[in-house]
Amino acid sequence: MHIYAHRGVSAHLPENTLVAFSRAIELGVSGIELDVHLSADQIPVVIHDETADRTTNGTGSISEFTARQLGLLDAGSGQFVPTLAQVLSLAAGKVRVNIELKDAAAVAPVADVVASIPGLDWFASSADWNALAELGQKVPGAKVYPLCIGAIEKVRSLLPDDSDGGSFAGRGLADAITFALNNGGEGVSIWEGGLDEADIQSIHDAGLQAWVWTVNDAERTCELRAMGADGICTDDPALIQESEREAAVSSLVGR
């Protein structure tokens, strides 16, 4: 089961920063996950939110800052908001990269950046499935993973009472599988809440991979491994790696 570092090693280092991604590479994870927005000068930058407020010392919409200005903000521990090109250059030839599209307008600029990085192993995910379809048209052979919260009937009770599922409303696992099959998808990016073996089997039966987010619990990791999950995304990859090592030792002892 592959381990991906969610926004880098974000449990211990500033999320979506070069130091967080560098630490993930040092740990030997299979891949990293990052989020992309567009700067005011149309450069793909790596940050989760639409604004700089939560993760930096700046305030305001990401689209109001140039990439250079974002690079001057403090994102914690002396880090800054990197460009997508900076992160991909760091990761190329070392780990696979899940590029999560947060802004549909970023599709063409992201396509240009990935084409400029030699040795890059990547795929794209997004809650905006139209953006994924557009990316697939611009980059023939691009691997895409539609994000979904799972089978709606199973997860509805797990959502907050005032939630309608947000951007995922009305689009469940079956829809995500259909989208992936119709758009050259490699797999489905699915929330771990409510996920069970039958869901993963449905994904596998369609010839797709089950990529699960976000898992920060060793016991849940064991459950997902037993269910056949192909990969998990975690804020704390070292914790999950230790869980995997313990499981391997237990398996050997049990023989």
Side-chain angles (χ1 to χ4, degrees):
M1 183 172 65
H2 297 291
I3 298 173
Y4 282 72
H6 184 238
R7 308 177 197 171
V9 183
S10 55
H12 304 288
L13 294 164
E15 67 176 60
N16 277 325
T17 61
L18 293 179
V19 69
F21 295 125
S22 294
R23 178 55 181 152
I25 293 169
E26 290 173 0
L27 288 172
V29 296
S30 298
I32 57 174
E33 182 269 357
L34 55 84
D35 308 283
V36 174
H37 284 278
L38 274 188
S39 65
D41 46 348
Q42 301 298 291
I43 294 174
V45 292
V46 178
I47 189 168
H48 179 271
D49 298 357
E50 294 181 353
T51 71
D53 300 46
R54 180 179 65 86
T55 59
T56 79
N57 64 338
T59 58
S61 172
I62 299 305
S63 62
E64 297 173 348
F65 292 87
T66 65
R68 182 178 181 279
Q69 289 171 330
L70 289 167
L72 295 174
L73 295 180
D74 182 359
S77 301
Q79 293 297 297
F80 57 89
V81 178
T83 65
L84 178 63
Q86 287 175 315
V87 179
L88 297 187
S89 295
L90 175 70
K94 300 171 186 174
V95 291
R96 198 175 196 205
V97 184
N98 169 22
I99 301 172
E100 182 176 341
L101 299 170
K102 291 292 188 181
D103 181 355
V107 170
V110 166
D112 290 340
V113 172
V114 297
S116 72
I117 307 294
L120 180 65
D121 184 9
W122 68 285
F123 64 92
S125 63
S126 184
D128 187 336
W129 298 358
N130 290 332
L132 291 181
E134 181 183 350
L135 181 66
Q137 293 170 356
K138 291 185 178 297
V139 185
K143 303 296 190 296
V144 299
Y145 283 64
L147 265 76
C148 74
I149 57 173
I152 298 295
E153 65 277 7
K154 293 181 182 179
V155 302
R156 194 178 303 280
S157 63
L158 301 175
L159 298 171
D161 291 339
D162 60 349
S163 173
D164 61 358
S167 59
F168 302 101
R171 296 183 300 174
L173 176 56
D175 298 312
I177 290 173
T178 298
F179 174 87
L181 292 175
N182 290 338
N183 291 274
E186 185 177 64
V188 172
S189 180
I190 187 167
W191 181 42
E192 67 90 13
L195 184 65
D196 59 26
E197 188 172 359
D199 294 328
I200 293 178
Q201 190 61 52
S202 294
I203 296 170
H204 287 168
D205 286 346
L208 301 169
Q209 295 182 15
W211 195 91
V212 186
W213 50 274
T214 301
V215 186
N216 295 316
D217 179 81
E219 183 176 349
R220 182 58 168 159
T221 299
C222 291
E223 293 174 352
L224 291 166
R225 185 194 318 107
M227 292 177 193
D230 298 288
I232 61 170
C233 193
T234 178
D235 299 325
D236 197 345
L239 173 68
I240 302 304
Q241 287 175 322
E242 181 60 28
S243 170
E244 292 289 89
R245 283 191 288 267
E246 291 176 357
V249 170
S250 298
S251 176
L252 289 172
V253 170
R255 290 179 180 177

